[in-house]
Amino acid sequence: KITAITRWVIKRVCIDMPDLKQWATSPFRASINLSGHDLRSSQLFDYIYNTFKLYDINPENIEFEVTESAYLENFTLSNKFFRRIGNMGCAIALDDFGTGYSSLSYLKKFPIDTLKIDRSFVTDIAVDNDDAAIVQAIIALAKTMNLGVIAEGVETQGQLEKLRDFDCCLIQGYLFS
């Protein structure tokens, strides 16, 4: 069922894009999660391309997210798929960064735009020096590689303040909604 669900989400985002643009006060990207199963589908790229054409979607308004481990389940296929998606104009985010294989040698081979720091590192950054050091290092690494960085799972003011201290500009979590 995952293929049908993924296709439904992609189509729904395309259908809703005109409304999203109306409500947005600044440029934005709608983010769509993909699974390892999705990446093994030889027809996914064609489905995305054709659906974007059908609904007149600017690929620059879309970001596809995949977990680090899902990307690496089949590195060659994933890399080919995301290079094609990136060439089309979509952004790519590596979700849950730090929890999978976390090999820096792979990181330089991924055609990605954004690293999403897993919430497991963010949860205790206000009280745990090791977690704070890891988050700070990931942020510095992302910035050095000209990647965007998003901290996941921000739930407290202390976490937010620490992330601001580390110059992390994009965050998500229940502190906000």
Side-chain angles (χ1 to χ4, degrees):
K1 301 269 183 213
I2 193 71
T3 300
I5 293 169
T6 298
R7 287 179 178 219
W8 180 87
V9 169
I10 291 166
K11 184 177 178 180
R12 188 77 245 165
V13 168
C14 292
I15 290 168
D16 291 342
M17 187 59 74
D19 290 336
L20 296 172
K21 285 183 176 181
Q22 258 185 336
W23 299 330
T25 57
S26 60
F28 71 95
R29 288 189 189 124
S31 191
I32 300 170
N33 288 320
L34 298 176
S35 70
H37 179 79
D38 293 322
L39 297 176
R40 289 189 295 275
S41 168
S42 60
Q43 291 115 16
L44 181 61
F45 177 83
D46 291 337
Y47 179 80
I48 292 168
Y49 179 83
N50 292 330
T51 305
F52 283 10
K53 253 187 126 134
L54 178 65
Y55 291 97
D56 195 29
I57 298 301
N58 179 349
E60 293 177 3
N61 290 127
I62 304 292
E63 177 174 69
F64 287 98
E65 290 187 24
V66 64
T67 63
E68 182 180 3
S69 47
Y71 198 116
L72 291 172
E73 278 177 16
N74 195 327
F75 179 77
T76 304
L77 275 178
S78 298
N79 229 22
K80 180 180 176 186
F81 172 79
F82 282 116
R83 287 199 191 284
R84 290 179 78 193
I85 286 292
N87 288 339
M88 195 167 77
C90 297
I92 298 120
L94 194 60
D95 199 7
D96 298 340
F97 183 74
T99 61
Y101 300 90
S102 298
S103 171
L104 298 181
S105 66
Y106 277 116
L107 185 58
K108 70 181 186 176
K109 296 176 185 177
F110 292 161
I112 60 170
D113 303 287
T114 304
L115 285 180
K116 294 185 75 177
I117 303 169
D118 188 72
R119 67 172 294 136
S120 64
F121 298 111
V122 173
T123 299
D124 292 326
I125 61 169
V127 295
D128 184 314
N129 289 337
D130 291 338
D131 281 344
I134 290 169
V135 169
Q136 189 172 23
I138 293 171
I139 292 167
L141 174 68
K143 288 180 181 271
T144 301
M145 294 179 72
N146 293 315
L147 300 173
V149 63
I150 300 172
E152 298 178 312
V154 179
E155 298 178 358
T156 69
Q157 195 64 36
Q159 292 166 334
L160 177 62
E161 290 169 13
K162 200 66 140 168
L163 290 163
R164 281 184 177 150
D165 289 346
F166 296 157
D167 199 26
C168 183
C169 301
L170 299 173
I171 54 176
Q172 69 182 58
Y174 292 124
L175 182 62
F176 305 98
S177 65

